[in-house]
Amino acid sequence: MAVTEVTFYPPYNLRYGHAAGKPDIGNQDGTSSDGTAISAGGQCNDVADGRRSAQLTIDTSGEADDATIDLTSADTASNIDAANWDFFIIDNHNLDTATAGGSAIEIRSGDLSGAGDLVGLSSAVSGTLGSATAACTVGSNIITDPIADGITVMTTTSSNASSVYRRLHLDRASASNYAADITIGEITMGKKFTAPFRPDLGVSYDSQYSGVKVNRSQGGQAYSTKRYGRMRSWSLNFNLLDSTAKTNFEVFFDIVEGVRLPFHFSLDSDSATPTFYYGRLSSAPSVKEVALERYSVKIQISEEL
């Protein structure tokens, strides 16, 4: 695919953590990815552990009460205020199926006591990770149609963003009960960073099959084992950056702590139907001064399955 605009979505909530006992689920019981039962009000680490494949299940099938996930931050508001917080991502979910094609997805900066704590939304897209997304139906502070299961990326605009309190409110379609249990793999939020221009020509892509091993028996017959399938990788080189852009890259590297934390990113974020990927830096990024106050940044990203 053509690389037109590169945007990174570093997970501030994974970097700074959540308050004791958070995140937790609200009105329904649930089940963690390892089969552990979770009572209503219990902690649900699956949605904030960096593993999108490890899904939380919320027992909403046939339920009338709204599902909620409390994501209160462990850090101060200054780390997730309006200057540092403008996206909210729900990944590996089935919200379109669970809400029968309609919903009322909201983000709250309070305890649901009134409309004043609603966090504003300017846009949202949903679709399959690694494929083009589509625009959701969005009001000033609510998604009324999630469009598709998979990944939903919301852009927030709100004076209420200066709060350590975050509650994801997942309403069912109209007055109907939920059509299925809700499943969610990962929730991230933070401040997105868009590179000031496209990377150099010659962006390289690779597909690794390092999870497939071939061995031979004592009789010489080959047999294979597969721990996991294809993993894509990307090499991006940005040249002649000014000092502001270099600093922005360095902030991004600090939030993900080098190779430690995975993050979402898009290579065509200027599209009306952007495609999103999930990966992590596969090696320490390279930052060099190549001319007076001009810098190059080279990064390599490996896909997270």
Side-chain angles (χ1 to χ4, degrees):
M1 64 172 294
V3 178
T4 57
E5 181 182 78
V6 181
T7 298
F8 304 97
Y9 297 80
Y12 276 60
N13 60 316
L14 301 189
R15 172 66 168 82
Y16 294 110
H18 294 277
K22 309 297 180 183
D24 65 28
I25 54 178
N27 297 320
Q28 291 86 10
D29 296 337
T31 307
S32 66
S33 60
D34 64 3
T36 302
I38 305 172
S39 298
Q43 193 167 1
C44 52
N45 290 323
D46 281 331
V47 299
D49 62 0
R51 301 178 301 149
R52 65 176 300 275
S53 60
Q55 287 183 306
L56 164 72
T57 299
I58 305 176
D59 299 340
T60 50
S61 181
E63 288 280 312
D65 289 337
D66 297 340
T68 63
I69 300 177
D70 186 335
L71 296 149
T72 301
S73 174
D75 217 303
T76 60
S78 61
N79 284 323
I80 57 170
D81 63 11
N84 293 303
W85 190 78
D86 62 9
F87 76 82
F88 194 101
I89 295 177
I90 312 171
D91 195 4
N92 197 15
H93 69 73
N94 72 336
L95 295 177
D96 189 46
T97 296
T99 61
S103 67
I105 300 175
E106 302 168 341
I107 309 169
R108 299 268 185 164
S109 61
D111 60 1
L112 307 180
S113 59
D117 61 2
L118 285 167
V119 173
L121 301 177
S122 62
S123 64
V125 293
S126 289
T128 302
L129 197 73
S131 299
T133 54
C136 302
T137 303
V138 179
S140 60
N141 47 37
I142 189 171
I143 297 176
T144 56
D145 187 351
I147 298 295
D149 297 336
I151 182 172
T152 297
V153 180
M154 294 171 262
T155 299
T156 63
T157 56
S158 176
S159 59
N160 289 337
S162 56
S163 167
V164 299
Y165 193 99
R166 289 286 179 279
R167 186 189 290 261
L168 179 62
H169 186 206
L170 305 169
D171 197 356
R172 63 211 178 282
S174 185
S176 303
N177 295 347
Y178 286 100
D181 289 343
I182 289 174
T183 56
I184 295 176
E186 192 71 7
I187 297 173
T188 61
M189 51 187 173
K191 174 74 172 179
K192 63 179 178 288
F193 162 53
T194 299
F197 45 74
R198 301 176 188 179
D200 293 349
L201 292 175
V203 173
S204 62
Y205 309 86
D206 190 18
S207 292
Q208 306 171 19
Y209 291 89
S210 55
V212 179
K213 302 295 182 183
V214 177
N215 300 293
R216 290 192 179 272
S217 67
Q218 288 186 344
Q221 292 180 319
Y223 65 94
S224 64
T225 58
K226 178 182 174 181
R227 296 174 58 202
Y228 51 88
R230 182 186 72 162
M231 291 180 61
R232 290 171 289 192
S233 63
W234 298 263
S235 295
L236 306 175
N237 181 23
F238 298 88
N239 207 15
L240 297 178
L241 298 165
D242 62 20
S243 58
T244 298
K246 177 184 80 79
T247 298
N248 288 336
F249 268 106
E250 290 172 336
V251 170
F252 163 58
F253 299 149
D254 178 64
I255 294 298
V256 300
E257 295 186 311
V259 301
R260 177 173 175 254
L261 296 176
F263 53 89
H264 292 89
F265 65 99
S266 175
L267 303 177
D268 63 342
S269 56
D270 55 345
S271 168
T273 59
T275 298
F276 294 90
Y277 303 93
Y278 195 52
R280 73 173 72 223
L281 299 178
S282 54
S283 60
S286 170
V287 180
K288 294 182 179 180
E289 187 170 17
V290 294
L292 180 62
E293 297 184 350
R294 288 294 181 268
Y295 307 87
S296 72
V297 171
K298 296 181 180 180
I299 60 176
Q300 292 183 314
I301 304 172
S302 294
E303 183 178 23
E304 286 288 306
L305 300 177

